[in-house]
Amino acid sequence: VMCFKGLELHFDDILKLIQASPDTILVLDHFGFTRLDEGGDKAFQQLLSLSKYPNVLVKVSALFRIAEPGADPFPFEGVRAKRFDPLLESFGADRLMFGTDFPFVLDEDGGYKGTVDVVCSWAGGNRAAVMGGNAERIFGPW
């Protein structure tokens, strides 16, 4: 699910969907568009509340879209501390899935390779799951 305008606008519908279809996997893209700002912080609490539903996964993608403009440049340590780490703690590594936001990431500081390297470093011992294992488990092998 892509919440372009923010998770808070779609939260009630997402909640109804995952409660009505508990066997359907739901993947929220781009951290649920929970930007590093006041509105995004409130929406992020909603996102964390979805961790109690085992059918919900979150894509760790488009770091540059989530970062606070001008205040959290590449390598996005604010995104790591305020979004990635809490998601890892709440959802667990088996429910996080890496993505880049290709081709848009190519025009951003760090580019594609930098984004891969940053998230690999954040994932640490969970690298295999976050960087591809979960996607393969959910969507199947290439």
Side-chain angles (χ1 to χ4, degrees):
V1 174
M2 184 84 71
C3 302
F4 284 112
K5 300 289 184 179
L7 178 65
E8 64 280 5
L9 297 176
H10 308 282
F11 184 77
D12 292 338
D13 292 329
I14 289 169
L15 198 55
K16 288 176 190 172
L17 176 65
I18 59 180
Q19 290 172 339
S21 303
D23 294 329
T24 300
I25 300 296
L26 184 132
V27 179
L28 284 165
D29 208 2
H30 300 338
F31 294 86
F33 278 91
T34 56
R35 295 184 56 107
L36 291 184
D37 58 28
E38 187 176 332
D41 290 344
K42 290 177 185 175
F44 188 66
Q45 294 308 308
Q46 291 179 313
L47 177 58
L48 291 178
S49 77
L50 297 178
S51 68
K52 67 183 174 187
Y53 299 98
N55 57 325
V56 177
L57 288 86
V58 179
K59 274 184 66 185
V60 175
S61 54
L63 310 179
F64 64 93
R65 294 185 192 278
I66 304 308
E68 188 175 357
D72 189 24
F74 180 84
F76 309 113
E77 284 302 311
V79 174
R80 180 199 53 76
K82 296 178 183 176
R83 296 294 182 262
F84 181 83
D85 289 348
L87 283 173
L88 183 61
E89 183 177 328
S90 187
F91 280 83
D94 62 330
R95 294 173 53 209
L96 299 181
M97 185 181 301
F98 174 71
T100 61
D101 200 20
F102 183 87
F104 307 104
V105 70
L106 296 175
D107 295 327
E108 300 298 324
D109 288 345
Y112 180 88
K113 182 178 183 332
T115 299
V116 170
D117 291 345
V118 163
V119 178
C120 279
S121 74
W122 295 352
N126 300 303
R127 179 180 175 183
V130 173
M131 299 305 291
N134 295 333
E136 186 171 324
R137 177 173 50 86
I138 300 301
F139 302 122
W142 289 73

